[in-house]
């Protein structure tokens, strides 16, 4: 892993997200989101076919689970908010734009100069104003924060806001209804919003495993250092758009509920993504295949009577990818 682990941040107290907050979010989001389906199947692994359940969250509105969080945050903020600002070069910006459009609010997304056109076009399609600033997510976030203050707008965060994490956690409540027993849930880490939300929903009743590329293991680094660590990562899932450290809320929930970090290689992620398309005609972005890569590559070997849940979390990619 390419690291510049020069700064370890004290793990400051955060607004704790509990199962009760996720249950409230589910009531708030009723009729606003899709209860995405699950797909029971078997996938290839080095040791032979493995029974799994895929949570098809890439079918969510906007092609991302992040819509759940943005909608919950805006609905909870009440009717006094007319404008939303967020920093993102990817799915968080798409989610915020879609949520704001649904609720009749304006949205400004501050993106790094390297933001992919596919994702910027999706933000535009939902009526967002897109402003380019800086070459990294951190620079875009600083500008978005200043802009929200100047305009008196609501500053959304892609993964480190209690209302956002609670909304995302509805994924976990849906899985409790859709899947028998309490199998482990494997989900990509990213900034930590998805694993944090699921952990808040299911607590220690069900294992939650965060899967991250070995070139950008920000959850593992934070757990080892007992605080968020700045990581300069490398690999196919890493660019200037992404977070360089885990969210404080995600780290809090990971520590409280025993979320572990499992590493996979870039090659394993690419192979899992290609496998999804070849075998099932399911097209996801690179990060969307990260959790599947753990089982497909053999990095995670289920117990003989276990059918793990794999969350496919994002579909915002160019169609011509293979």
């Amino acid at each position: 892993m390419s690291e510049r682990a020069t700064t370890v941040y004290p793990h400051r107290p955060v607004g704790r997200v509990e199962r009760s907050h996720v249950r409230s979010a589910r009531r708030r989001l009723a009729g606003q989101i899709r209860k995405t389906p699950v797909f029971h199947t078997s996938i290839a692994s080095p040791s032979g076919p493995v029974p799994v359940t895929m949570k098809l969250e890439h079918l969510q509105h906007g092609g991302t689970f992040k819509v759940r969080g943005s909608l919950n945050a805006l609905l909870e903020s009440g009717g006094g908010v007319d404008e939303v600002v967020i920093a993102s070069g990817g799915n968080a910006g798409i989610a915020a734009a879609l949520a704001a459009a649904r609720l009749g609010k304006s949205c400004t997304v501050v993106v790094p100069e390297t933001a992919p056109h596919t994702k910027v076009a999706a933000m535009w399609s939902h009526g967002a104003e897109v402003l380019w600033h800086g070459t990294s997510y951190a620079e875009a976030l600083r500008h978005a924060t200043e802009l929200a203050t100047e305009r008196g707008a609501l500053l959304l965060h892609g993964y480190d806001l209690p209302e956002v994490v609670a909304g995302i956690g509805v994924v976990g409540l849906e899985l409790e209804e859709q899947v028998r027993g309490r199998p482990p849930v494997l989900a990509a880490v990213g900034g930590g919003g998805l694993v944090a939300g699921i952990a808040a929903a299911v607590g220690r009743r069900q294992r939650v495993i965060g899967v991250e590329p070995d070139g950008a293991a920000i959850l593992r680094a934070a757990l080892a250092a007992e605080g968020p660590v700045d990581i300069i990562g490398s690999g196919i899932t890493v660019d200037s758009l992404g977070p360089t450290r885990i969210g404080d809320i995600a780290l809090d929930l990971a520590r409280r509920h025993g979320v572990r970090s499992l590493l996979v290689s870039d090659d394993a992620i690419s192979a899992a993504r290609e496998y999804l398309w070849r075998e099932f005609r399911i097209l996801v972005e690179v990060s969307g295949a990260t959790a599947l890569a753990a089982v497909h590559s053999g990095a995670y070997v289920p117990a003989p009577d276990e059918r793990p849940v794999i969350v496919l979390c994002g579909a915002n990619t160019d169609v011509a990818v293979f």
Side-chain angles (χ1 to χ4, degrees), residues 128-163:
E129 174 190 22
V130 179
L131 302 178
W132 283 262
H133 185 88
T135 58
S136 69
Y137 171 75
E139 290 177 300
L141 178 58
R142 283 193 293 271
H143 186 62
T145 302
E146 295 167 358
L147 195 63
T149 301
E150 291 172 7
R151 296 182 176 182
L154 175 67
L155 179 67
L156 277 184
H157 196 286
Y159 55 88
D160 205 21
L161 198 65
E163 298 82 3

Side-chain angles (χ1 to χ4, degrees), residues 34 53 57 149:
R34 291 178 180 142
T53 297
E57 186 61 17
T149 301

Side-chain angles (χ1 to χ4, degrees), residues 111-129:
V111 303
E113 294 167 2
T114 50
H117 178 74
T118 300
K119 295 194 175 184
V120 171
M123 298 171 201
W124 279 333
S125 74
H126 298 300
E129 174 190 22

Side-chain angles (χ1 to χ4, degrees), residues 67-293:
V67 168
R68 298 173 181 266
S70 291
L71 275 168
N72 187 56
L74 291 183
L75 289 167
E76 192 166 342
S77 69
V81 175
D82 297 319
E83 183 176 1
V84 177
V85 176
I86 190 170
S88 171
N91 288 339
I94 296 170
L98 190 156
R102 283 274 190 91
L103 301 177
K105 304 176 188 298
S106 63
C107 178
T108 299
V109 185
V110 181
V111 303
E113 294 167 2
T114 50
H117 178 74
T118 300
K119 295 194 175 184
V120 171
M123 298 171 201
W124 279 333
S125 74
H126 298 300
E129 174 190 22
V130 179
L131 302 178
W132 283 262
H133 185 88
T135 58
S136 69
Y137 171 75
E139 290 177 300
L141 178 58
R142 283 193 293 271
H143 186 62
T145 302
E146 295 167 358
L147 195 63
T149 301
E150 291 172 7
R151 296 182 176 182
L154 175 67
L155 179 67
L156 277 184
H157 196 286
Y159 55 88
D160 205 21
L161 198 65
E163 298 82 3
V164 167
V165 172
I168 293 170
V170 178
V171 171
L173 298 184
E174 290 178 4
L175 285 172
E176 287 184 330
E177 299 170 348
Q178 294 171 313
V179 180
R180 291 182 179 180
R182 294 175 179 172
V185 181
L186 281 68
V189 173
L194 182 57
V195 292
I198 295 173
V202 304
R204 287 185 176 269
R205 294 179 300 279
Q206 200 165 346
R207 277 190 297 149
V208 179
I209 300 167
V211 185
E212 43 190 358
D214 53 19
I218 60 176
L219 174 58
R220 174 165 292 197
L223 290 171
E226 299 186 353
V229 180
D230 265 338
I231 299 284
I232 305 302
S234 62
I236 60 172
T237 64
V238 178
D239 53 32
S240 63
L241 311 177
T244 58
R245 65 174 189 156
I246 199 72
D248 290 282
I249 296 171
L251 181 55
D252 175 64
L253 283 158
R255 294 169 81 178
R256 283 197 283 134
H257 297 306
V259 177
R260 60 176 281 207
S261 165
L262 183 65
L263 304 187
V264 292
S265 69
D266 285 353
D267 287 345
I269 296 170
S270 294
R273 186 173 181 237
E274 293 169 6
Y275 177 80
L276 273 174
W277 176 249
R278 184 176 68 250
E279 296 296 325
F280 302 106
R281 286 301 186 260
I282 293 175
L283 181 61
V284 297
E285 58 194 275
V286 172
S287 60
T290 302
L292 179 69

